[in-house]
Amino acid sequence: MNTNLIDTSHMTAGARAALEMAEAARDDRQHSGFAASLFFGSPQLDRLLPFPKQSDHDKDQGDAFLHRLDQVLTNLADPDEIDATGEIPDDLLSALALIGAFGIKIPVKYGGLGLSQTNYSRAAARLGATCGSLTALISAHQSIGAPQPLILFGTEDQKARYLPRCARGEISAFALTESDVGSDPARIKTVATRSADGTHYILNGEKLWCTNGTRAGIIVVMAHTPTADKPHATTAFIVETSWPGVEIVRRCHFLGLKALYNGVIHFDDVRVPVENVLGGEGRGLKVALTTLNTGRITLPAACAGLAHRCLEISTRWARSREQWGRPIARHSAITRKLADMAADTFALDGVVQYVSGLVDVDKNADVRLEAALGKLWGTERSWRIVDDTMQIRGGRGYETAASLKARGEPAEPVERFFRDARINTIFEGSSEIMRLFIAREALDPHLKIGAEAVNSTLPWKQRAKAAMRAGLFYAHWYPAKWLPLGSGDADDHVHPAFQSDLHAIHALSRKLARSLFYAMLRHGPALEKRQVLLGKLVDIGAELFAWSCAIGHAGQLVVDAGTPAAEVDRVLRLCEHFGKLQRTRIRALFASLQAGPSDAESLAVVDALPQA
Ligand SMILES: Cc1cc2nc3c(=O)[nH]c(=O)nc-3n(C[C@H](O)[C@H](O)[C@H](O)COP(=O)(O)OP(=O)(O)OC[C@H]3O[C@@H](n4cnc5c(N)ncnc54)[C@H](O)[C@@H]3O)c2cc1C
């Protein structure tokens, strides 16, 4: 870790170890997208615009696969039955394997379909609109299970041995979480010790909540591999569940995702050949975090599909249901919910299209910040959309699809969606952890410039020099954050209808950068602990990011000659509504920065709670 960046001198040993591991595992590439610049007060819109557009060839390839996927889902998938029985039928899984749904992104040379990230996201949206359990199975297999880390870190031999199996439909999984290891993976207890002859590792320990674990043939397992110089090192291993010593202890059951094949997996003296180390010894956390960084795009994509389905159900119901003499869609409280839902869903499409497009332009693109913002914003907003759908459906929203059907009403699965969607803000990085992660990335340029000056572990001469450098930099940077500067040529790519939104984004981005700067001046290294404040600043950045993506997405549709006039009109309306929403949301977040109870006051309330 670059110990100059963060002052760890006041931390406990555990906190320091966790931070040092997280820092060492940080991706050291340059951000590919424009999100970081939003936090720095100078949006680099040339990284957003022209907005990524799927080529006709890529779209045709995706359309062909989506057609086959739709056929399989329509003919063989009964999501309410899957939910009721807690099982995904074998014939459905076989049919999905046959059309290549287990190897969507796996290169053709390894037996996969070799489709783009954009097409993979489109497939995730289709699944997300249909069945949460199936989405989780396909996504855990391809987004975080064996294929993704193999593509990113695998040796040629590993790819040749495992990718064809994955593409054919052998299910894979990703095992990081343990009973005592959730959001903070630094204290993994599962341990792997190298054999005396150096040919293999002996793996011992237990993993919790491994999605697909009870059916997987291949699991990527993170284990502790301490050495004298790296006592906290972790390593990623490709483990086959047929090997002696691998035991599926039990299947876990949840509020939703009833057919998740999720379990506790025990490893008892499992011999793992050294050839199955993935990404190199001691690089396990890097493999895990980098895998999650890209894999995270799938969740907002699935959420976008779910949001579209909710909007469709809500609109249909609100237009047909009459109360107090008119359709509930015409009572303004419900009208507003529908309009907000539609605008948020449109923006979510923009976010997914943008982040997927970045990966398609450059397979090695570093989208950690954009994917994290997409995950945070997409899962939080879609949860709100599902909740509003339940509210709009009234009592029927709370009733199961089977019960509705038994009474002769349309079996709208809102109750199932509600149960299934709740996990999205928890797994693959909870919202709280996403905010910390995004804050760390957002503060990175400032840490590089100023942290040395306030790091009490460094010699005073080094700190004084650093303070001079930082002073010079901020003497230019800070006044510029008050000047109404645009992004030059990039602004010309924005459709005239969105120019005022663009100006607002520039101005609010500068205000966000100033607010972050004040927070750093006020709290110094202790800012890391001010999670409520940091969380609000991150939320402002997330709203600005979604807004920018919505404008890019809309601009592209509006100028496209193939977009029908009615669609152009609809998009302009949605964007105007979204712009108004975003101004209100961001204004409220800025107003809340200095308002409300302080952290110390909250702590006092919590400390005064009776012992349970
Ligand atoms: C259905 C399901 C499927 C899953 N699939 C997989 C899988 O395939 N593979 C796998 O490895 N794991 C999997 N998980 C585990 C999942 O990723 C974890 O639940 C998640 O990482 C959170 O860990 P935790 O539940 O232990 O919560 P904890 O880490 O104990 O956190 C509890 C709460 O405290 C908050 N919190 C924690 N630390 C901080 C902090 N520093 N600051 C502020 N707030 C904090 C969290 O946000 C959360 O709200 C799955 C879990 C579930 C429920």
Side-chain angles (χ1 to χ4, degrees):
M1 162 192 168
N2 182 351
T3 46
N4 288 351
L5 283 190
I6 296 174
D7 185 351
T8 55
S9 61
H10 304 295
M11 293 181 180
T12 61
R16 190 181 312 134
L19 186 78
E20 285 178 358
M21 281 187 68
E23 283 294 308
R26 262 188 90 237
D27 209 322
D28 41 23
R29 292 173 295 164
Q30 291 286 318
H31 293 129
S32 304
F34 82 109
S37 64
L38 278 174
F39 289 94
F40 207 56
S42 42
Q44 284 179 289
L45 290 188
D46 54 338
R47 289 184 176 204
L48 174 79
L49 304 167
F51 201 67
K53 185 174 188 308
Q54 194 175 22
S55 71
D56 290 344
H57 174 67
D58 193 55
K59 184 166 181 310
D60 288 347
Q61 282 192 323
D63 286 349
F65 172 68
L66 291 178
H67 177 67
R68 292 196 292 277
L69 180 63
D70 284 342
Q71 279 182 325
V72 171
L73 294 178
T74 309
N75 296 332
L76 294 172
D78 180 344
D80 291 315
E81 183 71 7
I82 289 173
D83 180 66
T85 59
E87 299 293 340
I88 300 177
D90 285 342
D91 61 343
L92 172 58
L93 291 178
S94 306
L96 287 169
L98 213 61
I99 61 165
F102 285 86
I104 301 175
K105 281 199 304 171
I106 293 177
V108 176
K109 81 178 219 198
Y110 300 112
L113 298 180
L115 293 185
S116 63
Q117 180 68 40
T118 300
N119 283 327
Y120 181 58
S121 294
R122 291 171 72 200
R126 285 290 216 284
L127 290 163
T130 312
C131 174
S133 296
L134 200 53
T135 312
L137 185 143
I138 299 279
S139 165
H141 165 69
Q142 281 174 95
S143 305
I144 57 171
Q148 184 70 21
L150 271 168
I151 291 169
L152 287 170
F153 294 97
T155 61
E156 193 44 52
D157 164 64
Q158 289 169 344
K159 289 180 187 171
R161 277 192 292 138
Y162 288 109
L163 286 178
R165 285 170 59 176
C166 293
R168 277 197 299 272
E170 185 165 351
I171 297 172
S172 71
F174 171 83
L176 172 65
T177 304
E178 299 176 5
S179 179
D180 290 333
V181 178
S183 305
D184 165 16
R187 293 170 299 128
I188 289 180
K189 290 206 182 89
T190 295
V191 66
T193 320
R194 195 149 181 174
S195 64
D197 63 4
T199 59
H200 59 271
Y201 285 80
I202 306 291
L203 181 69
N204 280 290
E206 195 163 277
K207 292 292 179 181
L208 179 64
W209 297 328
C210 179
T211 297
N212 292 351
T214 62
R215 289 193 72 147
I218 306 158
I219 306 185
V220 175
V221 180
M222 302 298 149
H224 188 199
T225 48
T227 56
D229 55 331
K230 285 187 187 161
H232 298 288
T234 60
T235 300
F237 295 94
I238 308 165
V239 176
E240 300 194 26
T241 52
S242 60
W243 289 347
V246 180
E247 186 201 348
I248 295 154
V249 180
R250 70 180 68 253
R251 184 172 163 188
C252 304
H253 298 277
F254 303 96
L255 167 75
L257 302 183
K258 292 291 185 189
L260 205 63
Y261 294 108
N262 178 297
V264 177
I265 317 288
H266 190 81
F267 304 99
D268 188 14
D269 282 342
V270 179
R271 286 167 65 96
V272 185
V274 284
E275 298 80 47
N276 278 30
V277 168
L278 189 52
E281 186 177 301
R283 297 187 73 226
L285 204 56
K286 185 146 201 135
V287 171
L289 298 184
T290 311
T291 298
L292 283 167
N293 281 346
T294 317
R296 265 188 202 117
I297 308 171
T298 318
L299 211 42
C303 287
L306 176 64
H308 275 284
R309 180 83 188 272
C310 284
L311 180 61
E312 188 192 300
I313 292 171
S314 301
T315 313
R316 185 166 49 238
W317 176 247
R319 282 181 176 153
S320 64
R321 174 72 170 174
E322 287 198 13
Q323 292 290 291
W324 307 88
R326 51 182 154 150
I328 57 170
R330 306 208 78 78
H331 293 295
S332 61
I334 301 295
T335 317
R336 177 64 189 272
K337 281 194 208 307
L338 288 169
D340 289 5
M341 252 186 204
D344 285 343
T345 302
F346 179 82
L348 185 49
D349 281 343
V351 167
V352 174
Q353 190 177 327
Y354 174 64
V355 188
S356 306
L358 281 181
V359 176
D360 286 336
V361 169
D362 173 7
K363 290 273 171 279
N364 291 317
D366 173 10
V367 295
R368 83 191 101 148
L369 191 51
E370 286 73 18
L373 285 162
K375 200 275 175 185
L376 173 65
W377 196 83
T379 56
E380 293 276 345
R381 275 284 156 232
S382 60
W383 170 242
R384 189 61 207 260
I385 288 171
V386 176
D387 190 31
D388 280 346
T389 304
M390 179 164 280
Q391 195 69 21
I392 290 170
R393 286 275 294 160
R396 285 167 178 81
Y398 197 66
E399 189 173 8
T400 66
S403 175
L404 286 163
K405 193 172 168 191
R407 294 197 296 105
E409 292 206 20
E412 305 282 24
V414 177
E415 177 264 353
R416 169 167 60 83
F417 285 162
F418 190 84
R419 282 186 286 109
D420 285 356
R422 185 60 189 87
I423 188 64
N424 292 338
T425 60
I426 298 173
F427 64 8
E428 292 190 28
S430 66
S431 290
E432 290 78 12
I433 297 302
M434 285 296 90
R435 289 192 179 97
L436 295 184
F437 175 88
I438 294 164
R440 169 66 187 86
E441 294 301 327
L443 286 171
D444 195 56
H446 295 291
L447 288 173
K448 284 190 176 127
I449 295 158
E452 238 181 297
V454 289
N455 189 337
S456 59
T457 60
L458 299 174
W460 74 266
K461 263 191 180 171
Q462 189 178 341
R463 291 178 64 189
K465 265 194 194 164
M468 290 253 295
R469 270 197 314 271
L472 273 174
F473 173 83
Y474 285 113
H476 286 93
W477 179 87
Y478 180 72
K481 295 305 135 205
W482 288 96
L483 299 175
L485 302 171
S487 308
D489 294 347
D491 291 4
D492 299 340
H493 288 286
V494 175
H495 190 272
F498 311 122
Q499 282 295 341
S500 91
D501 281 7
L502 183 68
H503 289 146
I505 289 171
H506 277 298
L508 291 166
S509 160
R510 287 194 296 275
K511 187 170 175 184
L512 172 60
R514 295 196 304 268
S515 303
L516 262 173
F517 182 65
Y518 300 148
M520 284 190 319
L521 287 183
R522 182 155 175 220
H523 301 289
L527 179 58
E528 176 233 348
K529 294 199 184 69
R530 303 300 303 267
Q531 292 187 351
V532 177
L533 173 65
L534 278 177
K536 287 174 187 168
L537 292 166
V538 165
D539 284 346
I540 293 170
E543 297 297 354
L544 286 171
F545 177 66
W547 194 1
S548 311
C549 290
I551 290 177
H553 181 39
Q556 191 188 71
L557 288 170
V558 168
V559 297
D560 190 334
T563 311
E567 175 71 356
V568 169
D569 189 46
R570 191 183 67 86
V571 167
L572 289 173
R573 258 180 228 286
L574 279 177
C575 248
E576 192 184 345
H577 187 82
F578 193 64
K580 287 185 177 160
L581 274 183
Q582 294 309 85
R583 282 177 177 83
T584 318
R585 285 170 177 165
I586 294 170
R587 202 178 301 133
L589 280 164
F590 273 121
S592 74
L593 289 178
Q594 307 301 336
S598 69
D599 287 359
E601 285 163 349
S602 300
L603 189 61
V605 170
V606 173
D607 283 347
L609 294 174
Q611 292 294 334

